[in-house]
């Protein structure tokens, strides 16, 4: 049975571990190994994770099957000061993908967003990541494309997707 709980700062290393297990599989044909390593350290170092978990309108949600954590999502309410919930991250362990865990997390995010009076869920997803098909299936639409330049000439090539909440 899948359950979800909000992460605490004590879960920072668990989140990092899941990211380090999912990203190489997710991005192996999308970005170079050096860019992958750079981005993992940039986004998932312990200091950044603790700061993010501790921010007022941010939450990491952990998905469990019994006592095993299978994935996580990170959200931010009142994104850009608006009635928008931002889905910053959603990663499921490769061996647990396709089992409805991502859908379960999205449904929980929708519930939390509505409770915060959000009218939209907003996210970026790499244009070459097959996850954009999952988001489309979940009712998100592509609203635009964006290229985000990182250090060392690295580039994030994303779709911006949104789902309007009922």
């Amino acid at each position: 049975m899948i359950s979800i709980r909000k992460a605490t700062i004590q879960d920072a290393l668990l989140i990092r571990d899941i990211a380090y297990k999912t990203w190489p599989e997710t991005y192996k044909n999308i970005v170079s190994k050096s860019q992958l390593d750079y981005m993992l350290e940039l986004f998932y170092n312990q200091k950044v994770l603790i700061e993010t978990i501790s921010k007022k309108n941010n939450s990491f949600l952990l998905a469990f099957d019994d006592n095993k954590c299978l994935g996580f999502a990170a959200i931010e309410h009142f994104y850009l000061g608006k009635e928008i919930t931002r889905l910053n991250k959603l990663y499921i362990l490769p061996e647990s993908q396709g089992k409805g865990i991502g859908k379960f997390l999205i449904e929980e995010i929708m519930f939390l967003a509505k409770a915060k009076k959000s009218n939209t869920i907003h996210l970026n997803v790499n244009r070459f990541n097959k996850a954009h098909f999952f988001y489309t299936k979940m009712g998100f639409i592509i609203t635009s494309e964006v290229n985000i330049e990182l250090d060392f000439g690295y580039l994030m090539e994303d779709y911006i997707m949104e789902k309007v909440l009922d």
Side-chain angles (χ1 to χ4, degrees):
M1 172 117 166
I2 304 300
S3 63
I4 296 176
R5 75 164 169 82
K6 188 174 176 180
T8 66
I9 58 173
Q10 288 77 24
D11 295 310
L13 291 177
L14 173 62
I15 293 165
R16 180 182 167 99
D17 183 56
I18 292 169
Y20 273 72
K21 289 177 179 171
T22 58
W23 274 51
E25 183 64 26
T26 301
Y27 296 107
K28 67 182 174 190
N29 297 318
I30 299 173
V31 299
S32 69
K33 171 129 175 41
S34 59
Q35 181 173 343
L36 177 81
D37 292 343
Y38 167 79
M39 291 174 67
L40 278 168
E41 182 55 31
L42 181 68
F43 299 138
Y44 293 99
N45 72 69
Q46 189 168 2
K47 181 181 176 191
V48 167
L49 287 170
I50 290 171
E51 287 174 1
T52 303
I53 292 168
S54 301
K55 284 185 182 175
K56 181 180 178 186
N57 290 314
N58 287 22
S59 296
F60 269 91
L61 305 173
L62 304 175
F64 287 86
D65 187 4
D66 294 321
N67 291 327
K68 182 175 181 185
C69 189
L70 304 176
F72 65 85
I75 59 173
E76 176 185 352
H77 297 293
F78 308 109
Y79 180 64
L80 300 176
K82 299 179 181 178
E83 294 174 335
I84 297 171
T85 293
R86 168 98 170 144
L87 174 56
N88 287 315
K89 301 169 178 20
L90 193 151
Y91 292 99
I92 308 299
L93 290 170
E95 66 271 17
S96 299
Q97 293 176 7
K99 298 179 180 177
I101 298 156
K103 180 180 180 198
F104 198 73
L105 279 164
I106 292 288
E107 289 170 350
E108 180 68 11
I109 292 164
M110 289 170 46
F111 173 80
L112 294 170
K114 288 177 184 178
K116 293 287 187 176
K117 309 292 186 219
S118 288
N119 54 33
T120 305
I121 298 175
H122 179 276
L123 63 87
N124 284 33
V125 62
N126 184 286
R127 292 193 297 261
F128 307 103
N129 183 343
K130 63 184 178 181
H132 78 272
F133 296 114
F134 163 76
Y135 292 122
T136 300
K137 186 176 175 182
M138 294 301 301
F140 288 80
I141 60 166
I142 297 169
T143 59
S144 61
E145 295 182 11
V146 63
N147 291 329
I148 302 166
E149 293 183 22
L150 302 172
D151 292 335
F152 310 109
Y154 297 139
L155 185 65
M156 292 173 33
E157 301 169 282
D158 292 350
Y159 288 130
I160 295 176
M161 300 184 79
E162 293 184 347
K163 178 178 177 63
V164 175
L165 301 173
D166 302 330

Short mmCIF file of all heavy atoms in Angstrom, two decimals, residues 14-36:
data_model
loop_
_atom_site.label_atom_id
_atom_site.label_comp_id
_atom_site.label_asym_id
_atom_site.label_seq_id
_atom_site.Cartn_x
_atom_site.Cartn_y
_atom_site.Cartn_z
N LEU A 14 18.05 10.79 2.29
CA LEU A 14 17.17 9.85 1.59
C LEU A 14 16.77 10.43 0.23
O LEU A 14 16.82 9.74 -0.80
CB LEU A 14 15.93 9.55 2.43
CG LEU A 14 14.83 8.71 1.79
CD1 LEU A 14 15.35 7.32 1.41
CD2 LEU A 14 13.63 8.62 2.73
N ILE A 15 16.40 11.69 0.21
CA ILE A 15 16.03 12.36 -1.05
C ILE A 15 17.23 12.38 -2.00
O ILE A 15 17.10 12.05 -3.18
CB ILE A 15 15.53 13.80 -0.76
CG1 ILE A 15 14.20 13.74 0.00
CG2 ILE A 15 15.40 14.60 -2.06
CD1 ILE A 15 13.79 15.05 0.64
N ARG A 16 18.38 12.72 -1.47
CA ARG A 16 19.60 12.73 -2.28
C ARG A 16 19.89 11.34 -2.86
O ARG A 16 20.21 11.21 -4.05
CB ARG A 16 20.78 13.20 -1.43
CG ARG A 16 22.10 13.25 -2.17
CD ARG A 16 23.23 13.68 -1.22
NE ARG A 16 24.52 13.45 -1.81
CZ ARG A 16 25.25 14.36 -2.42
NH1 ARG A 16 24.81 15.59 -2.52
NH2 ARG A 16 26.43 14.05 -2.93
N ASP A 17 19.73 10.31 -2.05
CA ASP A 17 19.99 8.94 -2.50
C ASP A 17 19.05 8.56 -3.65
O ASP A 17 19.50 7.98 -4.65
CB ASP A 17 19.81 7.98 -1.32
CG ASP A 17 20.14 6.55 -1.70
OD1 ASP A 17 21.27 6.30 -2.18
OD2 ASP A 17 19.26 5.68 -1.51
N ILE A 18 17.79 8.91 -3.55
CA ILE A 18 16.83 8.60 -4.61
C ILE A 18 17.19 9.36 -5.89
O ILE A 18 17.16 8.81 -6.99
CB ILE A 18 15.39 8.88 -4.17
CG1 ILE A 18 14.99 7.88 -3.08
CG2 ILE A 18 14.42 8.82 -5.35
CD1 ILE A 18 13.70 8.20 -2.38
N ALA A 19 17.55 10.63 -5.75
CA ALA A 19 17.96 11.43 -6.91
C ALA A 19 19.16 10.79 -7.61
O ALA A 19 19.19 10.67 -8.84
CB ALA A 19 18.27 12.86 -6.50
N TYR A 20 20.14 10.37 -6.81
CA TYR A 20 21.35 9.77 -7.39
C TYR A 20 21.07 8.40 -8.03
O TYR A 20 21.84 7.96 -8.88
CB TYR A 20 22.45 9.67 -6.33
CG TYR A 20 23.28 10.93 -6.24
CD1 TYR A 20 22.76 12.09 -5.67
CD2 TYR A 20 24.58 10.97 -6.73
CE1 TYR A 20 23.51 13.25 -5.60
CE2 TYR A 20 25.35 12.13 -6.66
CZ TYR A 20 24.80 13.26 -6.09
OH TYR A 20 25.55 14.42 -6.02
N LYS A 21 19.97 7.77 -7.67
CA LYS A 21 19.59 6.51 -8.30
C LYS A 21 18.71 6.72 -9.53
O LYS A 21 18.72 5.90 -10.45
CB LYS A 21 18.86 5.61 -7.30
CG LYS A 21 19.77 5.05 -6.23
CD LYS A 21 19.00 4.22 -5.22
CE LYS A 21 19.95 3.65 -4.17
NZ LYS A 21 19.21 3.01 -3.06
N THR A 22 17.93 7.79 -9.55
CA THR A 22 17.00 8.01 -10.67
C THR A 22 17.60 8.85 -11.79
O THR A 22 17.34 8.57 -12.97
CB THR A 22 15.70 8.68 -10.19
OG1 THR A 22 15.99 9.91 -9.55
CG2 THR A 22 14.92 7.77 -9.27
N TRP A 23 18.37 9.84 -11.47
CA TRP A 23 18.87 10.75 -12.50
C TRP A 23 19.73 10.06 -13.56
O TRP A 23 19.54 10.35 -14.75
CB TRP A 23 19.63 11.91 -11.85
CG TRP A 23 18.75 13.04 -11.44
CD1 TRP A 23 17.61 12.96 -10.69
CD2 TRP A 23 18.92 14.41 -11.74
NE1 TRP A 23 17.08 14.20 -10.50
CE2 TRP A 23 17.87 15.12 -11.13
CE3 TRP A 23 19.88 15.11 -12.45
CZ2 TRP A 23 17.75 16.49 -11.23
CZ3 TRP A 23 19.77 16.49 -12.53
CH2 TRP A 23 18.70 17.16 -11.94
N PRO A 24 20.68 9.20 -13.19
CA PRO A 24 21.49 8.57 -14.26
C PRO A 24 20.64 7.81 -15.27
O PRO A 24 20.90 7.88 -16.48
CB PRO A 24 22.42 7.63 -13.48
CG PRO A 24 22.57 8.28 -12.15
CD PRO A 24 21.19 8.84 -11.86
N GLU A 25 19.61 7.15 -14.82
CA GLU A 25 18.72 6.41 -15.74
C GLU A 25 17.86 7.38 -16.54
O GLU A 25 17.69 7.23 -17.74
CB GLU A 25 17.84 5.44 -14.94
CG GLU A 25 16.95 4.59 -15.79
CD GLU A 25 17.70 3.63 -16.71
OE1 GLU A 25 18.83 3.23 -16.40
OE2 GLU A 25 17.14 3.28 -17.77
N THR A 26 17.33 8.39 -15.87
CA THR A 26 16.44 9.35 -16.52
C THR A 26 17.15 10.18 -17.59
O THR A 26 16.60 10.41 -18.66
CB THR A 26 15.83 10.30 -15.46
OG1 THR A 26 15.11 9.52 -14.50
CG2 THR A 26 14.89 11.32 -16.09
N TYR A 27 18.35 10.62 -17.29
CA TYR A 27 19.03 11.58 -18.16
C TYR A 27 20.20 11.01 -18.95
O TYR A 27 20.92 11.77 -19.60
CB TYR A 27 19.50 12.78 -17.32
CG TYR A 27 18.34 13.53 -16.72
CD1 TYR A 27 18.05 13.45 -15.37
CD2 TYR A 27 17.52 14.31 -17.53
CE1 TYR A 27 16.96 14.12 -14.83
CE2 TYR A 27 16.43 14.99 -17.00
CZ TYR A 27 16.16 14.89 -15.64
OH TYR A 27 15.09 15.56 -15.11
N LYS A 28 20.38 9.68 -18.93
CA LYS A 28 21.56 9.08 -19.58
C LYS A 28 21.68 9.41 -21.06
O LYS A 28 22.79 9.52 -21.57
CB LYS A 28 21.59 7.57 -19.36
CG LYS A 28 20.47 6.81 -20.05
CD LYS A 28 20.54 5.34 -19.74
CE LYS A 28 19.34 4.63 -20.33
NZ LYS A 28 19.23 3.27 -19.86
N ASN A 29 20.59 9.56 -21.76
CA ASN A 29 20.64 9.88 -23.19
C ASN A 29 20.28 11.33 -23.48
O ASN A 29 20.03 11.69 -24.63
CB ASN A 29 19.70 8.95 -23.97
CG ASN A 29 20.12 7.51 -23.86
OD1 ASN A 29 21.30 7.18 -23.95
ND2 ASN A 29 19.16 6.62 -23.65
N ILE A 30 20.23 12.14 -22.41
CA ILE A 30 19.79 13.53 -22.57
C ILE A 30 20.92 14.52 -22.31
O ILE A 30 21.09 15.49 -23.04
CB ILE A 30 18.58 13.82 -21.64
CG1 ILE A 30 17.41 12.90 -22.02
CG2 ILE A 30 18.17 15.28 -21.71
CD1 ILE A 30 16.23 12.96 -21.06
N VAL A 31 21.68 14.30 -21.23
CA VAL A 31 22.78 15.20 -20.89
C VAL A 31 24.06 14.39 -20.70
O VAL A 31 24.02 13.18 -20.47
CB VAL A 31 22.48 16.04 -19.62
CG1 VAL A 31 21.24 16.90 -19.80
CG2 VAL A 31 22.35 15.16 -18.38
N SER A 32 25.18 15.08 -20.77
CA SER A 32 26.48 14.42 -20.56
C SER A 32 26.63 14.01 -19.10
O SER A 32 25.95 14.54 -18.21
CB SER A 32 27.61 15.36 -20.95
OG SER A 32 27.69 16.43 -20.02
N LYS A 33 27.52 13.08 -18.86
CA LYS A 33 27.79 12.64 -17.48
C LYS A 33 28.29 13.81 -16.64
O LYS A 33 27.90 13.95 -15.49
CB LYS A 33 28.82 11.50 -17.46
CG LYS A 33 29.29 11.16 -16.06
CD LYS A 33 29.20 9.72 -15.75
CE LYS A 33 29.75 9.29 -14.42
NZ LYS A 33 29.53 10.09 -13.25
N SER A 34 29.10 14.67 -17.23
CA SER A 34 29.61 15.82 -16.46
C SER A 34 28.49 16.79 -16.10
O SER A 34 28.45 17.30 -14.98
CB SER A 34 30.73 16.54 -17.22
OG SER A 34 30.28 17.01 -18.46
N GLN A 35 27.54 17.00 -17.01
CA GLN A 35 26.40 17.87 -16.68
C GLN A 35 25.52 17.20 -15.64
O GLN A 35 25.04 17.86 -14.72
CB GLN A 35 25.58 18.22 -17.92
CG GLN A 35 24.41 19.15 -17.59
CD GLN A 35 23.65 19.66 -18.80
OE1 GLN A 35 24.13 19.61 -19.92
NE2 GLN A 35 22.47 20.20 -18.56
N LEU A 36 25.31 15.91 -15.77
CA LEU A 36 24.52 15.17 -14.79
C LEU A 36 25.13 15.30 -13.39
O LEU A 36 24.43 15.64 -12.43
CB LEU A 36 24.42 13.70 -15.19
CG LEU A 36 23.68 12.80 -14.23
CD1 LEU A 36 22.18 12.93 -14.43
CD2 LEU A 36 24.10 11.36 -14.43
#
